[in-house]
């Protein structure tokens, strides 16, 4: 098809990204007989393969892996798949329906054009009636500017490059950030016998199990994961919140930083500054620990209320009592004095949609959309955290959003066909 004066191979739909989100929408489009192609810059499951550490396990239980037409069918639904099993699950998904996937093809530009979109790639130029952006939201490592002032002999890595304790030079390790990754990486180093200094933040935490069941299973039953972003008390603001920390490691358990402190981990408040070898921290450690416990206790209380309201027979549980509290607020740590040889930055990611040339982005470069449907007709997003609900950026909910988008695309395709016919 001639598009913009050039001959371009045309597809009804082009899906950008071939991991769980891209494959999910591909499955749904195929089921509706809608022609499409999936471009994957690397290999399917790339982020799981390359950006997770060796001991990584899902935090969400396996039964929540419910990609369209391919619900988890392994022998451990209440367990938490390790990294390599997650990759195998995604590979098996692709094998199950043979999507029109082109690996090793990066989309370099998407722009609206007459009748649809022009899509440039590292493997030629294409056109499409619709485009689904399914590249997740975690593209660029978030690092603070002060990282540039860290003395040159200290090794610095982002959580996405962390693999195992042996990868780091001997000595203590400073971990910055207590979201999911920070807490789990700090634990990984701690278990390996490395002395960890951990700069905490305001991330909340959640119990692994409560009243005889995994908390995720209670929250699922309570309808928590069906809540659309528009009805969340924080509205779209929930998209910027850190995830609750907990782990699936060892069959699943709580992460209580107070227990780590009792075992020798050095906890600090929020990282404030780096001046030479001196790392300056805020006097908010107690507040951060209390804040995490508050969310833990609040979620448990909501489960208690649900159990009461529905007369459910569930074992009682003693209220949480903090086993440790900081006696002083440490306000700095000296990298040299403490023999800290490495810093692991666990401050999350930024997204990069700069290859999309369409008037849909706000000042923070977040796309305007409602459940993935943007104001530019035919341009869609899938797989972003809280795109629609808690599970949108996870195995739990990406399939439901993919079905929704495939329906929208199907309706658009048939109205375009009618437009051509009449
Ligand atoms: C540390 C961490 C832990 C997580 N733990 C869980 C968990 O326990 N449970 C859970 O359900 N979810 C979890 N998630 C969230 C989520 O499931 C993952 O982020 C998952 O990788 C998202 O899948 P995706 O397909 O949306 O995006 P990605 O897996 O990021 O895949 C996007 C794909 O797009 C490709 N791509 C990017 N740009 C282009 C381009 N321009 N052209 C073509 N291809 C491109 C990439 O190569 C990549 O393969 C976690 C996320 C992180 C970061």
């Amino acid at each position: 098809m001639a598009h913009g004066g050039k001959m371009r191979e045309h597809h009804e739909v082009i899906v950008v990204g071939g991991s769980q989100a891209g494959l999910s929408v591909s499955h749904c489009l195929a089921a509706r007989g809608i022609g499409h192609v999936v471009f994957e810059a690397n290999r399917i499951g790339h982020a799981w393969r390359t950006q997770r550490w060796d001991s990584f396990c899902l935090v969400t239980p396996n039964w929540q892996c419910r990609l369209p037409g391919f619900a988890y069918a392994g022998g451990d639904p209440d367990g938490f798949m390790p990294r390599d099993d997650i990759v195998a699950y995604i590979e098996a998904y692709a094998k199950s329906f043979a999507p029109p996937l082109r690996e090793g093809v990066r989309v370099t530009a998407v722009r609206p054009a007459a009748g649809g979109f022009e899509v440039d790639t590292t493997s030629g130029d294409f056109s499409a009636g619709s485009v689904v952006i399914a590249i997740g939201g975690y593209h660029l490592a978030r690092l603070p500017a002060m990282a540039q002032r860290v003395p040159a002999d200290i090794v610095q890595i982002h959580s996405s490059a962390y693999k195992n304790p042996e990868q780091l030079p001997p000595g203590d390790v400073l971990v910055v950030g207590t979201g999911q990754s920070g807490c789990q990486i700090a634990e990984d180093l701690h278990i390996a016998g490395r002395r960890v200094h951990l700069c905490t933040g305001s991330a909340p935490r959640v119990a692994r199990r409560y009243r005889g069941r995994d908390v995720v299973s209670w929250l699922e039953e309570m309808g928590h994961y069906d809540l659309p972003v528009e009805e969340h008390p924080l509205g779209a603001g929930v998209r910027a919140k850190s995830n609750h920390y907990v782990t699936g490691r060892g069959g699943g358990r709580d992460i209580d930083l107070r227990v780590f402190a009792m075992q020798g981990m050095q906890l600090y408040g929020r990282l404030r500054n780096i001046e030479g070898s001196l790392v300056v921290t805020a006097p908010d450690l107690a507040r951060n620990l209390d804040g995490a416990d508050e969310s833990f206790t609040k979620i448990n209380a909501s489960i208690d209320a649900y159990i009461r309201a529905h007369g459910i027979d569930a074992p009682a549980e003693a209220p949480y009592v903090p086993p440790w509290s900081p006696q002083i607020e440490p306000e700095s740590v000296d990298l040299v004095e403490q023999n800290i040889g490495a810093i692991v930055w666990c401050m999350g990611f930024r997204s990069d949609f700069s290859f999309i040339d369409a008037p849909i982005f706000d000042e923070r470069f977040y796309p305007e959309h409602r459940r993935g449907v943007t104001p530019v007709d035919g341009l869609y997003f899938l797989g972003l955290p809280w795109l629609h609900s808690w599970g949108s950026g996870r195995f739990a909910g990406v399939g439901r959003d993919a079905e929704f988008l495939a329906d929208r695309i199907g309706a658009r395709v048939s109205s375009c066909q009618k437009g051509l016919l009449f």
Side-chain angles (χ1 to χ4, degrees):
M1 177 183 244
H3 237 261
K6 261 199 223 169
M7 285 308 284
R8 289 172 176 265
E9 184 181 314
H10 185 78
H11 294 271
E12 194 63 69
V13 183
I14 287 180
V15 178
V16 187
S19 196
Q20 68 209 41
L23 294 176
S24 293
V25 75
S26 173
H27 188 279
C28 299
L29 292 170
R32 288 158 181 77
I34 301 171
H36 65 283
V37 63
V38 182
F39 290 130
E40 163 53 51
N42 301 286
R43 286 170 71 194
I44 56 168
H46 173 75
W48 292 112
R49 253 179 239 280
T50 63
Q51 293 173 14
R52 308 285 183 266
W53 49 97
D54 294 347
S55 66
F56 179 91
C57 295
L58 283 180
V59 166
T60 50
N62 295 336
W63 57 261
Q64 269 198 335
C65 293
R66 42 192 174 205
L67 299 180
F70 205 71
Y72 174 84
D76 191 13
D78 296 321
F80 306 90
M81 276 191 266
R83 179 191 61 194
D84 296 350
D85 290 3
I86 303 168
V87 173
Y89 170 68
I90 295 174
E91 281 175 339
Y93 185 43
K95 273 208 186 91
S96 74
F97 70 101
L101 173 70
R102 299 196 195 168
E103 289 175 294
V105 179
R106 177 172 292 279
V107 171
T108 54
V110 172
R111 69 188 84 82
F117 297 87
E118 291 176 350
V119 177
D120 299 348
T121 80
T122 49
S123 191
D125 295 340
F126 298 81
S127 62
S130 300
V131 174
V132 182
I133 308 295
I135 60 170
Y138 305 130
H139 307 130
L140 306 173
R142 199 184 279 276
L143 293 173
M146 69 180 98
Q148 291 168 8
R149 299 201 293 274
V150 170
D153 55 339
I154 307 249
V155 168
Q156 300 185 62
I157 58 168
H158 183 258
S159 56
S160 55
Y162 174 78
K163 295 292 167 217
N164 53 53
E166 296 72 48
Q167 168 196 20
L168 302 179
D172 291 13
V173 182
L174 175 67
V175 176
V176 182
T178 46
Q180 288 281 15
S181 298
C183 288
Q184 290 176 46
I185 290 172
E187 185 192 47
D188 195 48
L189 291 159
H190 182 67
I191 291 171
R194 299 295 287 265
R195 190 153 177 267
V196 175
H197 302 255
L198 178 63
C199 286
T200 59
S202 58
R205 76 183 183 104
V206 63
R208 180 76 272 171
R209 294 190 183 80
Y210 187 63
R211 307 285 307 263
R213 277 166 61 178
D214 194 291
V215 166
V216 173
S217 127
W218 283 120
L219 295 179
E220 168 100 356
E221 187 176 310
M222 289 157 65
H224 179 75
Y225 300 136
D226 296 329
L227 184 75
V229 63
E230 294 81 16
E231 288 172 31
H232 192 282
L234 297 173
V238 70
R239 293 179 174 139
K241 297 297 279 184
S242 301
N243 293 321
H244 294 71
Y245 60 83
V246 62
T247 184
R249 192 165 176 172
R253 55 182 178 240
D254 290 357
I255 291 186
D256 186 347
L257 300 181
R258 297 179 196 270
V259 173
F260 289 162
M262 290 164 73
Q263 296 167 347
M265 193 184 287
Q266 302 297 304
L267 304 185
Y268 305 85
R270 185 178 291 278
L271 174 66
R272 252 186 172 162
N273 199 6
I274 297 182
E275 298 159 3
S277 68
L278 196 70
V279 173
V280 181
T281 57
D284 59 6
L285 171 60
R287 198 170 72 211
N288 293 339
L289 295 175
D290 289 347
D293 289 346
E294 205 178 299
S295 67
F296 171 100
T297 308
K298 207 166 138 194
I299 294 168
N300 290 351
S302 72
I303 295 171
D304 289 337
Y306 176 78
I307 288 171
R308 254 194 325 274
H310 292 80
I312 298 168
D313 184 20
E317 197 132 341
Y320 174 75
V321 179
W324 177 91
S325 289
Q327 296 308 302
I328 50 150
E329 285 283 356
E331 294 195 39
S332 65
V333 51
D334 192 291
L335 298 169
V336 175
E337 271 173 23
Q338 296 295 328
N339 189 30
I340 294 174
I343 301 179
V344 187
W345 297 103
C346 304
M347 306 179 82
F349 298 81
R350 285 183 295 121
S351 44
D352 179 11
F353 301 119
S354 54
F355 63 95
I356 304 165
D357 183 5
I360 54 165
F361 294 101
D362 67 15
E363 65 288 351
R364 304 181 74 188
F365 221 70
Y366 186 80
E368 186 184 344
H369 70 86
R370 194 171 171 95
R371 202 168 181 181
V373 180
T374 77
V376 170
D377 195 23
L379 182 58
Y380 307 94
F381 280 77
L382 179 67
L384 298 181
W386 274 99
L387 180 102
H388 171 63
S389 64
W390 175 87
S392 288
R394 297 176 164 94
F395 281 112
V398 68
R400 188 162 55 175
D401 293 346
E403 300 278 5
F404 173 82
L405 282 191
D407 281 343
R408 289 295 295 250
I409 294 169
R412 186 167 182 274
V413 168
S414 39
S415 66
C416 288
Q417 281 166 350
K418 277 186 198 139
L420 283 176
L421 285 172
F422 300 118

